[in-house]
């Protein structure tokens, strides 16, 4: 039976916690290990559900995986890669979308691959069409069946690929496939997030030849073989920003060990504009509420180097405590404001709109999606009973419960463990009053 978390709010979060490797990088680096002819080692690996899922999928494909949770060291040996049984992949993957990224490496190693129906958070469309079309461009044959999608290829060849939108997943797919494809691949309109850069670092260590231009063009010269890697994962900038927003919403003071300023510059600027304060130290960043009123802002999410969509939901909770009217325009995922319904039940004054309340060119303006929000504050929040809707929205619910007066009951907290390592232990370390039942 799914456990629930009881959260007694109304007190500041204070203390020190640590963030390890990025959820949006570590699983992808684990997939990259499939391409190597020898063992790989990844350090700074967090104990999150996505790491568990990918470890299991690697095991199903014959990869030996050894993970020391305490040290965060993960070793992978792909010497005996084999095709897993369809039913096993389907059962183990669950709602994860990671299996789609196995396709390129498996086609190189085995000449075939299979992916089940894909899940993920319900925050908007994440079609796999980009992925399948990319694999076709490289020469793969794609056959759809009721059980999932079967792919075959004798020899993958480099291609010219232009993305209509700088999709992180499609960029990862291209990189993981192009590095061993025959010839040169040119990817136009690529995502350039820090997690993509770190994946490129890993692939270069393995023997790949990859160049990145300033116009979002990535060129990959295919090589005959790749070796294993040793790499230290970049820290999770989303988790760090989530704790920063929690400090702001609860009028707290949190030192986030491992938080990295260069990857968070855009967030730090907004955090300061809202009225938050921070101190960058050699081993992390201290985030705190300096006292006084928080300030309303106008904000638009965007791909890197813009304000990250995953930073938006936790910050919205803090904006409910800001003086005046804040406007948030979501341009990355069309349904990311579904979580605001629970905030309104807690007393927040939030209105969502189909119109683009911003200056950025937006894909959703004429498509009937509620992708803009107006947050009027400050409004006191009161405790309620809530069900976690998705990963980032779920952590935002926790922040709201911690900021609210009274005791909230939070259901579906297992979703949060997909991307937040030991978050209940960290809440205890910050003197939060939470109880798992």
């Amino acid at each position: 039976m799914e456990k629930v978390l009881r959260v007694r709010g109304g007190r500041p979060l204070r203390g020190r916690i640590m963030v390890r490797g990025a959820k949006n990088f570590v699983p992808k680096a684990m997939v990259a290990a499939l391409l190597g002819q020898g063992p790989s080692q990844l350090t700074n690996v967090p104990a999150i559900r996505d790491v568990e899922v990918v470890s299991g999928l690697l095991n199903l494909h014959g990869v030996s995986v050894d993970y020391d949770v305490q040290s965060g060291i993960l070793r992978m040996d792909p010497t005996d890669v084999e095709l897993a049984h369809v039913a096993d992949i389907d059962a183990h993957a669950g709602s994860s979308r990671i299996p789609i990224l196995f396709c390129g490496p498996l086609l190189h190693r085995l000449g075939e691959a299979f992916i089940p129906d894909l899940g993920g958070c319900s925050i908007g469309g994440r079609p796999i069409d980009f992925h399948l079309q990319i694999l076709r461009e490289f020469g793969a044959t794609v056959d759809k069946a009721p059980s999932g999608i079967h792919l075959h290829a004798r020899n993958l060849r480099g291609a010219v690929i232009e993305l209509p939108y700088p999709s992180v997943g499609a960029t990862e797919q291209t990189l993981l496939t192009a590095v061993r494809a025959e010839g040169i691949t040119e990817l136009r309109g690529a995502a350039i997030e820090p997690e993509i850069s770190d994946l490129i670092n890993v692939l270069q260590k393995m023997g790949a030849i990859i160049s990145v231009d300033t116009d979002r063009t990535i060129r990959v010269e295919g090589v005959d073989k790749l070796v294993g890697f040793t790499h230290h994962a970049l820290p999770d900038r989303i988790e760090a920003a989530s704790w920063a927003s929690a400090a702001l919403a609860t009028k707290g003071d949190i030192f986030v060990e491992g938080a990295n300023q260069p990857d968070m510059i855009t967030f730090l600027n907004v955090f300061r504009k809202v009225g938050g304060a921070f101190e960058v130290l050699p081993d992390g960043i201290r985030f705190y509420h300096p006292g006084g009123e928080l300030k309303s802002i106008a904000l638009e999410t965007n791909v890197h180097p813009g304000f990250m969509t995953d930073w938006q939901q936790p910050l919205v909770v803090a904006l409910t405590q800001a003086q005046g009217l804040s406007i948030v325009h979501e341009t990355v995922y069309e349904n990311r404001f579904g979580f605001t319904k629970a905030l309104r039940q807690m007393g927040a004054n939030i209105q969502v709109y189909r119109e683009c309340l911003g200056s950025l060119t937006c894909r959703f303006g004429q498509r009937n999606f509620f992708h803009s929000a107006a947050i009027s504050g400050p409004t006191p929040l009161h405790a309620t009973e809530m069900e976690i809707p998705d990963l980032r929205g779920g952590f935002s619910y926790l922040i709201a419960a911690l900021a609210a007066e009274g005791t909230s009951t939070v259901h579906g907290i297992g979703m949060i463990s997909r991307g937040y390592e030991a978050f209940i232990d960290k809440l205890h370390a910050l003197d939060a009053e939470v109880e798992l039942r």
Side-chain angles (χ1 to χ4, degrees):
M1 182 177 294
E2 175 69 44
K3 292 184 177 180
V4 299
L5 189 69
R6 290 180 60 80
V7 181
R8 183 179 178 185
R11 58 187 297 170
L13 295 182
R14 300 185 185 277
R16 180 186 184 106
I17 52 97
M18 178 182 70
V19 298
R20 293 203 280 188
K23 169 194 173 291
N24 285 356
F25 163 76
V26 169
K28 324 306 172 57
M30 294 171 66
V31 175
L34 276 170
L35 292 161
Q37 292 189 353
S40 292
Q41 178 173 290
L42 191 61
T43 60
N44 200 33
V45 175
I48 56 176
R49 173 61 179 161
D50 276 17
V51 169
E52 181 183 336
V53 168
V54 179
S55 295
L57 290 171
L58 288 172
N59 280 146
L60 291 176
H61 288 91
V63 179
S64 172
V65 180
D66 178 29
Y67 176 38
D68 186 304
V69 175
Q70 190 66 30
S71 66
I73 298 175
L74 181 70
R75 297 180 179 89
M76 299 156 285
D77 187 346
T79 303
D80 300 318
V81 170
E82 62 184 10
L83 194 66
H85 293 293
V86 169
D88 291 338
I89 299 175
D90 203 6
H92 189 84
S95 63
S96 173
R97 293 175 178 266
I98 282 290
I100 187 67
L101 294 179
F102 276 67
C103 293
L106 287 175
L107 288 172
H108 283 302
R109 292 294 300 268
L110 303 174
E112 59 181 313
F114 166 80
I115 55 172
D117 291 334
L118 298 176
C121 293
S122 301
I123 56 175
R126 294 186 180 188
I128 64 169
D129 295 350
F130 283 178
H131 294 264
L132 298 180
Q133 184 57 38
I134 287 167
L135 293 164
R136 289 190 184 99
E137 293 288 338
F138 281 106
T141 299
V142 180
D143 297 313
K144 296 184 178 181
S147 59
I149 301 171
H150 297 264
L151 300 98
H152 298 83
R154 290 184 178 179
N155 184 41
L156 297 177
R157 302 174 303 279
V160 176
I161 297 169
E162 186 158 0
L163 300 180
Y165 185 78
S167 160
V168 169
T171 300
E172 293 163 342
Q173 184 70 259
T174 302
L175 289 170
L176 291 167
T177 308
V179 286
R180 284 202 55 202
E182 180 183 334
I184 296 175
T185 296
E186 182 174 289
L187 175 63
R188 302 168 184 168
I192 55 172
E193 272 69 6
E195 294 81 8
I196 293 289
S197 297
D198 216 25
L199 180 59
I200 291 173
N201 292 339
V202 163
L203 293 170
Q204 187 179 60
K205 287 181 177 181
M206 299 178 75
I209 302 173
I210 304 172
S211 62
V212 183
D213 293 343
T214 56
D215 63 349
R216 291 186 178 271
T217 298
I218 297 177
R219 290 180 177 84
V220 183
E221 298 181 35
V223 296
D224 292 333
K225 67 176 183 178
L226 296 171
V227 299
F229 65 84
T230 298
H231 189 76
H232 187 79
L234 85 167
D236 197 312
R237 62 194 176 118
I238 304 173
E239 183 181 358
S242 298
W243 291 113
S245 294
L248 202 57
T250 65
K251 299 182 179 179
D253 188 335
I254 302 175
F255 181 80
V256 182
E257 180 183 345
N260 186 34
Q261 181 189 14
D263 296 336
M264 299 184 68
I265 287 176
T266 303
F267 175 83
L268 294 174
N269 286 334
V270 172
F271 189 79
R272 179 169 281 162
K273 287 179 181 179
V274 173
F278 61 87
E279 181 182 4
V280 179
L281 297 171
D283 57 342
I285 304 177
R286 175 194 172 203
F287 298 96
Y288 61 100
H289 191 304
E293 292 183 345
L294 298 181
K295 305 167 188 174
S296 56
I297 59 167
L299 177 68
E300 296 181 88
T301 65
N302 205 350
V303 296
H304 188 78
F307 191 89
M308 193 178 192
T309 179
D310 290 307
W311 291 335
Q312 175 257 111
Q313 289 164 294
L315 187 65
V316 162
V317 181
L319 291 177
T320 67
Q321 305 308 303
Q323 183 69 42
L325 182 67
S326 293
I327 302 294
V328 179
H329 180 208
E330 172 61 53
T331 75
V332 179
Y333 288 126
E334 62 268 36
N335 289 327
R336 198 132 215 184
F337 285 121
F339 79 105
T340 60
K341 179 179 180 180
L343 298 184
R344 288 193 293 272
Q345 292 173 349
M346 299 177 76
N349 188 350
I350 302 175
Q351 300 293 325
V352 292
Y353 298 90
R354 295 183 177 89
E355 293 77 14
C356 295
L357 301 183
S359 60
L360 292 177
T361 301
C362 178
R363 300 173 293 158
F364 312 131
Q366 306 301 319
R367 296 174 58 193
N368 208 31
F369 295 116
F370 289 95
H371 68 293
S372 294
I375 304 108
S376 182
T379 53
L381 301 179
H382 54 260
T384 189
E385 186 166 355
M386 59 184 77
E387 180 79 29
I388 297 297
D390 58 72
L391 175 59
R392 306 304 171 187
F395 197 85
S396 301
Y397 281 12
L398 281 187
I399 296 175
L402 291 161
E405 290 295 332
T407 300
S408 296
T409 303
V410 187
H411 299 266
I413 61 167
M415 176 74 74
I416 299 176
S417 64
R418 280 191 53 219
Y420 292 87
E421 180 183 36
F423 68 94
I424 294 177
D425 291 338
K426 292 177 183 180
L427 288 172
H428 285 304
L430 297 173
D431 202 28
E433 291 192 44
V434 296
E435 181 185 3
L436 189 62
R437 292 187 174 182

